Amino acid sequence: MAFAANNPTCVKAGKSGMICPDKDGEYDDCCKPQCSYKGQCPGLAGFCCPTAAGVMLGCCGASVAEAELSAAMQSTEVDVPASPTSVLAALVAMGCFVAVGAVAIGRATRRPASTNLSPPLLA
């Protein structure tokens, strides 16, 4: 947690107190330049977005963008029920595979026919 007095952007915005994040874990908009803002630049400290030299790092807004993309992906996911035609087609295909497998197993385990055609000897 950081005090607004330690963040020039928050000082310019007239903010005060512990706000980056606050006691509830919420960030004020003036906290965006900080590396720790919503985990946008993990492992870095200070100001990253932009830096003190005015450089915008590649990690800026990364976690926010990933969260927005994830939310968009979840909202577009639709459960489509299977139509009776597609269920029937799947069952027919499975039946064909079972039949072909049964024939292949039957041929693989069949004993060759005896080639001795002479009548049995009686003693």
Side-chain angles (χ1 to χ4, degrees):
M1 288 192 201
F3 286 98
N6 297 334
N7 185 336
T9 311
C10 294
V11 171
K12 287 179 189 173
K15 304 291 181 169
S16 63
M18 181 101 39
I19 60 170
C20 294
D22 63 12
K23 63 182 177 183
D24 297 325
E26 298 294 322
Y27 285 85
D28 191 276
D29 284 339
C30 71
C31 303
K32 287 182 183 178
Q34 289 188 318
C35 301
S36 62
Y37 177 74
K38 296 186 179 179
Q40 64 186 350
C41 294
L44 299 178
F47 297 97
C48 296
C49 307
T51 63
V55 177
M56 189 69 72
L57 299 182
C59 57
C60 297
S63 65
V64 176
E66 288 173 5
E68 289 173 357
L69 178 62
S70 176
M73 294 295 288
Q74 289 176 355
S75 66
T76 59
E77 205 171 295
V78 179
D79 186 23
V80 179
S83 69
T85 305
S86 62
V87 171
L88 180 61
L91 289 173
V92 168
M94 285 189 294
C96 290
F97 283 119
V98 169
V100 168
V103 169
I105 290 171
R107 286 186 180 171
T109 58
R110 185 179 303 153
R111 292 185 186 171
S114 176
T115 56
N116 186 3
L117 300 177
S118 60
L121 296 175
L122 298 172

